[in-house]
Amino acid sequence: MLLMSVWSCFFGQDEEDGTETGEGDEWMQGKTLIKPLDQLDLTEAELKEEFTRILTANNPHAPQNIVRYSFKERSYKPISSVDQLAVHFVLEGNLLHQDSDEARRQRAKQGDVEEGGGEERADSVESKAGKKEQKITNQFNFSERASQTLNNPLRERGCQTEPPPRANFSATANQWEIYDVYLEVLQKQEKNKEKAKAVPKKDDDKGKKKMMLVETQSDDITKVAKVAKIIERMVNQNTFDDIAQDFKYFEDASDEYREQEGTLLPLWKFQYDKAKRLSVTALCWNESYKDLFAVGLGSYDFTKQGRGMLVFYSLKNSTFPEYIYPTTSGILCLDIHKHLPYLVAVGFYDGCVAVYNLKEETLQPIYKSTAKSGKHTDPVWQVKWQKDDMDNNHNFFSVSSDGRVVSWTLVKNELVFTDIIKLIIEIFDNVCRPAACGTSFDFHKQIDYLFLVGTEEGKIHKCSKAYSSQFLETYNAHNMAVDAVKWNHFHTKVFISCSSDWTVKIWDHTIKTPMFTFDLNASVGDVAWSPYSSTVFAAVTTDGKVHTFDLSINKYEAICQQPVVAKKKTKLTHIEFNPVYPIIIVGDDRGYVTSLKLSPNLRKKPKEKKGQELPKGPEVEIAKMEKLLSLLREPENSNA
Amino acid sequence: MLPKAEVEETLKRIQTHKGVIGTIVVNAEGIPIRTTLDNSTTVQYAGLLHQLTMKARSTVRDIDPQNDLTFLRIRSKKHEIMVAPDKEYLLIVIQNPSE
């Protein structure tokens, strides 16, 4: 309506200026403007009103007040922006860009169809030549072609066989079974290696094969040996349970009340039936196996000389010895090698020396000295192992009544002897006395070449391995034969000696007179230093008593004097301290060996002042002894 | 001494030891080969202790395959049963320790 009115306004103006427009327009002439009936009547002011027209890009047909329900605000909300796009015309085309995916796919298909096109039938070539696309099945004219083939009738064929033999197998696969198998395989491999090396020895193999057969046929009881030993020890442990407990744990509580005295607690008693008439002539602990000790049996009686025995006992079995070696002559001394616990040196009454190897099955010694090879002509009183010589051969020394100190070396299969020193008595009145009889000796713990020899005349000679004819020093020790002479384990200058003249003397080897002298009222058979203290030692006498001294507690008397054998007539012959446990073994002349436990008072270590740490080690022991000796030396020096 | 004679002597000493009631030697299959007790008791002891020893040994070796069982002691009110196993044999001793 508005548009029409606008156009009429213009025409209206044209009417007024009609004369200017020209009279040439034919269609304009002859027409007079007809005012429509429904035309708006506007005043002149209204007619002159100017209306501005704006050209916008808004779509006039687009609704401007669309309202949508917003669930978030639960109310109707007008949409602010409305799409102003007015679509006038749509035509879908079928052009594809040549590099797009679809174009490539179509080109690929066309390529396939063109390749396989040659094999097609004649009538389809024409149709397909034009088409480059594959025929795709569609819903309208797709037909499936199938055909039914003949099914062959099914036949089953089978045959039955004998079932394989079955056996039930069950085992456990534990960690240890696997480990055992591995070990076996390893051993087999090693055996194979050895066989490969020993192939040229065919005769030996044959001999071995025979041996193998014999072993399997023999009685099976021999394999129970080890187990039987264990059981025997267990049975003994049960029987002697209280002794075993005492050995391990008992400490005499009453020692606290007895200031300076101690006691000896009897433990096991060792005896062997066949050794009843023999007396114990030697005792030795084994350094490596602390519960094993050796007992030499023989006789001190000159008139009753017969056979002897070497017997080994273990503390774990007190009823029967571990090893038994009968000998033709009585044993007088023995020594076990410090580092090789299976080598034992033995000295006999008939002057021979022998070496036994405990590992061997035989009862014979592996080495024995004979008359040709320099055996002693008199009983051998002491043997002692030495360190291996420069050729790594084992060697030991022996001392005998014939006055010789001999060194024996184990060279391969024989015993080679070397005279080290000959003991001679000083010449009095130009009369050459026969050689003195050595009855005991001991080697210094630290100084290798230094040793002491005690003689039957009661003298002690200090000798060196280097000098064969001269003594370094002679001490007039006793009035009767020196039965034992022993260096102190800690202090390097001190040694002890005992004799049948009822005395025990302690010496400093630099001084010619004894430091201490003890009278024990009976012939002293043996004396031994304790391995744990430099001032404790024990002595045994023929009246059946064990005397224990501790010089740091009491310098004049024994702190323990105890009879240890039942019958008073038995004489005690030897005593040894165990290197580790607080026990001593005592041998007597009836073939018994008694073990005793030392009470705490006998094992006292020096007490330091409170607050200071207890110094440990051998230095303490040396210092203790030194202190005692210095007390004695000073008055002597002042007297001299 | 021959090893065989030595073993025989050891077994004899064990049998005559104070308080020992009986001794049984059992082989690897659990069959007693030597005994000082009557048959039924022997068979019973052998069977039961064989199983127990195997179990005990298996336990010890499972924990550490390099270890092995040395012996087994079972102390009861009346007496003590001691079992010492070997690779092929088992030695059982019944002792009354308080006797």
Side-chain angles (χ1 to χ4, degrees):
Chain A
M1 274 284 278
L2 193 62
L3 267 166
M4 280 187 67
S5 66
V6 166
W7 281 113
S8 63
C9 276
F10 271 86
F11 280 130
Q13 285 178 342
D14 276 344
E15 224 176 323
E16 292 177 340
D17 301 330
T19 51
E20 286 182 10
T21 51
E23 291 163 339
D25 295 347
E26 285 181 353
W27 59 276
M28 289 275 303
Q29 283 180 344
K31 262 189 186 175
T32 55
L33 284 169
I34 302 164
K35 207 174 175 186
L37 294 165
D38 52 0
Q39 195 181 56
L40 272 173
D41 286 325
L42 294 170
T43 59
E44 287 210 12
E46 285 176 355
L47 283 170
K48 283 184 186 167
E49 202 181 331
E50 282 196 5
F51 293 90
T52 51
R53 315 263 323 183
I54 308 166
L55 197 62
T56 60
N58 290 339
N59 180 7
H61 294 294
Q64 284 164 342
N65 54 353
I66 295 180
V67 171
R68 286 265 144 84
Y69 185 75
S70 160
F71 285 94
K72 187 174 165 193
E73 286 157 44
R74 302 224 182 143
S75 60
Y76 286 96
K77 286 237 148 168
I79 295 179
S80 49
S81 61
V82 177
D83 199 7
Q84 302 292 326
L85 184 72
V87 177
H88 294 291
F89 176 69
V90 176
L91 175 66
E92 294 209 3
N94 52 6
L95 292 176
L96 299 167
H97 194 274
Q98 57 179 349
D99 291 331
S100 71
D101 288 338
E102 183 60 38
R104 283 196 212 124
R105 266 185 254 139
Q106 287 192 5
R107 255 186 273 156
K109 276 188 188 171
Q110 279 177 17
D112 286 344
V113 168
E114 281 174 3
E115 284 174 14
E119 296 176 9
E120 292 295 321
R121 288 173 295 170
D123 42 352
S124 69
V125 166
E126 293 162 315
S127 58
K128 286 216 172 171
K131 290 183 194 171
K132 289 189 177 178
E133 296 170 28
Q134 246 186 6
K135 218 176 189 180
I136 305 166
T137 57
N138 60 47
Q139 295 170 322
F140 306 105
N141 55 1
F142 171 72
S143 65
E144 188 173 317
R145 268 180 252 166
S147 65
Q148 182 92 24
T149 57
L150 280 174
N151 285 335
N152 291 326
L154 291 173
R155 281 234 161 104
E156 196 170 303
R157 234 175 238 177
C159 63
Q160 182 122 12
T161 59
E162 282 264 335
R166 277 191 204 178
N168 272 339
F169 173 76
S170 68
T172 47
N174 287 327
Q175 198 185 9
W176 55 271
E177 292 195 16
I178 299 168
Y179 175 84
D180 276 349
V181 172
Y182 268 107
L183 273 185
E184 260 181 58
V185 169
L186 199 71
Q187 278 172 3
K188 269 186 193 170
Q189 281 180 355
E190 282 175 14
K191 267 187 187 173
N192 285 338
K193 277 187 196 170
E194 283 174 28
K195 273 184 187 172
K197 284 180 192 172
V199 155
K201 292 179 188 175
K202 282 189 184 173
D203 293 293
D204 286 349
D205 281 339
K206 281 183 191 169
K208 277 179 194 172
K209 275 182 190 170
K210 280 184 188 168
M211 281 285 288
M212 288 281 287
L213 285 169
V214 168
E215 276 178 32
T216 48
Q217 284 167 8
S218 69
D219 201 347
D220 301 318
I221 274 291
T222 47
K223 294 181 188 171
V224 193
K226 194 180 163 201
V227 184
K229 202 169 208 177
I230 294 175
I231 282 274
E232 196 187 355
R233 287 185 181 182
M234 287 166 75
V235 167
N236 271 310
Q237 191 185 6
N238 274 342
T239 315
F240 299 111
D241 184 48
D242 43 356
I243 296 180
Q245 300 288 339
D246 281 345
F247 159 72
K248 240 334 196 166
Y249 303 115
F250 180 74
E251 300 289 350
D252 200 344
S254 60
D255 264 15
E256 287 173 39
Y257 307 110
R258 282 191 288 231
E259 266 290 325
Q260 293 188 343
E261 282 178 17
T263 50
L264 296 168
L265 179 75
L267 296 172
W268 296 281
K269 253 198 152 185
F270 300 88
Q271 66 182 97
Y272 183 42
D273 282 347
K274 296 185 188 167
K276 267 199 169 157
R277 276 184 237 137
L278 302 168
S279 50
V280 173
T281 52
L283 288 173
C284 186
W285 285 99
N286 192 313
E287 297 282 321
S288 323
Y289 297 99
K290 310 280 177 0
D291 60 301
L292 190 66
F293 63 92
V295 181
L297 295 151
S299 172
Y300 283 121
D301 201 341
F302 178 67
T303 47
K304 290 182 196 165
Q305 280 304 317
R307 53 186 186 91
M309 237 183 221
L310 175 62
V311 169
F312 283 81
Y313 280 101
S314 161
L315 294 177
K316 297 177 189 172
N317 184 349
S318 58
T319 51
F320 198 77
E322 302 290 315
Y323 299 96
I324 305 165
Y325 296 96
T327 59
T328 45
S329 154
I331 294 177
L332 278 183
C333 55
L334 65 90
D335 191 32
I336 302 177
H337 199 284
K338 264 198 172 159
H339 302 291
L340 303 167
Y342 52 87
L343 275 186
V344 184
V346 173
F348 294 97
Y349 197 91
D350 62 1
C352 289
V353 288
V355 177
Y356 283 87
N357 184 338
L358 297 180
K359 279 190 185 174
E360 301 278 322
E361 289 283 329
T362 64
L363 294 173
Q364 296 304 314
I366 50 171
Y367 297 100
K368 197 164 181 185
S369 70
T370 58
K372 283 190 231 166
S373 63
K375 81 173 181 72
H376 292 280
T377 49
D378 265 345
V380 178
W381 289 97
Q382 193 101 32
V383 284
K384 268 255 152 62
W385 282 103
Q386 298 300 306
K387 290 184 196 160
D388 288 355
D389 64 6
M390 282 182 285
D391 300 325
N392 284 338
N393 289 324
H394 308 303
N395 68 333
F396 64 94
F397 276 54
S398 66
V399 70
S400 152
S401 300
D402 64 357
R404 284 161 57 215
V405 174
V406 179
S407 152
W408 305 84
T409 315
L410 275 67
V411 178
K412 285 187 193 175
N413 289 332
E414 42 175 39
L415 218 50
V416 176
F417 80 100
T418 332
D419 271 5
I420 294 296
I421 202 161
K422 270 209 161 111
L423 307 166
I424 41 169
I425 304 178
E426 289 145 13
I427 302 169
F428 287 142
D429 309 328
N430 290 330
V431 176
C432 207
R433 294 263 180 97
C437 314
T439 49
S440 59
F441 72 171
D442 193 26
F443 288 82
H444 198 277
K445 310 277 182 246
Q446 278 94 25
I447 306 170
D448 216 16
Y449 56 82
L450 192 64
F451 66 96
L452 296 162
V453 182
T455 64
E456 210 172 301
E457 286 74 36
K459 291 203 173 63
I460 297 177
H461 303 286
K462 184 169 77 173
C463 319
S464 160
K465 286 187 198 174
Y467 299 107
S468 63
S469 54
Q470 231 189 345
F471 306 131
L472 294 175
E473 189 93 53
T474 307
Y475 310 90
N476 289 319
H478 295 273
N479 301 318
M480 288 181 73
V482 177
D483 283 327
V485 60
K486 300 249 169 89
W487 286 102
N488 188 308
H489 291 281
F490 297 95
H491 201 286
T492 50
K493 288 191 186 171
V494 175
F495 67 88
I496 195 170
S497 68
C498 76
S499 159
S500 317
D501 67 353
W502 296 12
T503 57
V504 170
K505 295 189 182 174
I506 298 180
W507 309 77
D508 177 332
H509 76 91
T510 51
I511 301 173
K512 281 209 155 187
T513 51
M515 301 266 100
F516 295 94
T517 309
F518 302 98
D519 193 328
L520 300 178
N521 287 329
S523 173
V524 184
D526 194 10
V527 70
W529 286 107
S530 77
Y532 51 83
S533 166
S534 64
T535 51
V536 176
F537 66 90
V540 282
T541 56
T542 49
D543 60 355
K545 282 196 189 159
V546 175
H547 304 257
T548 319
F549 291 80
D550 187 346
L551 296 172
S552 56
I553 296 176
N554 190 333
K555 281 194 292 242
Y556 305 105
E557 284 184 332
I559 50 174
C560 170
Q561 278 182 8
Q562 187 170 327
V564 292
V565 277
K567 292 192 179 176
K568 283 206 169 171
K569 282 186 189 171
T570 47
K571 304 173 194 170
L572 298 177
T573 50
H574 281 277
I575 182 169
E576 282 292 333
F577 279 84
N578 185 305
V580 177
Y581 305 116
I583 60 173
I584 50 171
I585 40 170
V586 177
D588 61 23
D589 67 344
R590 289 176 116 249
Y592 291 127
V593 176
T594 318
S595 59
L596 301 139
K597 186 165 182 182
L598 302 159
S599 72
N601 269 351
L602 303 172
R603 302 174 348 230
K604 269 198 176 157
K605 303 245 164 170
K607 274 186 190 168
E608 283 297 317
K609 295 171 197 169
K610 283 184 191 174
Q612 282 182 355
E613 274 183 28
L614 274 176
K616 288 186 184 173
E619 293 81 34
V620 181
E621 304 294 335
I622 299 176
K624 208 170 42 161
M625 197 62 181
E626 194 55 44
K627 203 170 113 181
L628 276 171
L629 294 174
S630 60
L631 289 169
L632 292 166
R633 266 189 236 136
E634 274 180 310
E636 283 193 12
N637 284 338
S638 64
N639 282 342
Chain B
M1 265 198 272
L2 284 173
K4 185 179 168 185
E6 222 178 278
V7 174
E8 294 280 350
E9 257 219 38
T10 312
L11 285 174
K12 198 170 163 199
R13 278 202 307 275
I14 295 171
Q15 282 163 16
T16 52
H17 197 93
K18 188 176 120 182
V20 171
I21 300 167
T23 321
I24 308 168
V25 180
V26 179
N27 74 354
E29 284 136 36
I31 301 165
I33 56 175
R34 192 180 278 222
T35 174
T36 58
L37 300 166
D38 58 284
N39 198 25
S40 54
T41 321
T42 304
V43 166
Q44 196 182 22
Y45 267 105
L48 293 168
L49 288 167
H50 181 73
Q51 287 175 37
L52 184 64
T53 317
M54 288 300 122
K55 188 73 184 170
R57 190 191 229 163
S58 181
T59 310
V60 168
R61 295 207 75 199
D62 249 350
I63 294 168
D64 178 8
Q66 289 179 332
N67 205 354
D68 200 3
L69 182 66
T70 316
F71 63 79
L72 194 61
R73 271 185 199 263
I74 305 160
R75 199 166 247 214
S76 69
K77 282 189 204 165
K78 293 189 183 170
H79 44 242
E80 180 165 338
I81 305 167
M82 289 170 277
V83 183
D86 186 54
K87 268 207 161 160
E88 297 167 24
Y89 293 92
L90 201 64
L91 190 53
I92 303 166
V93 171
I94 305 138
Q95 187 190 21
N96 192 343
S98 54
E99 212 180 284

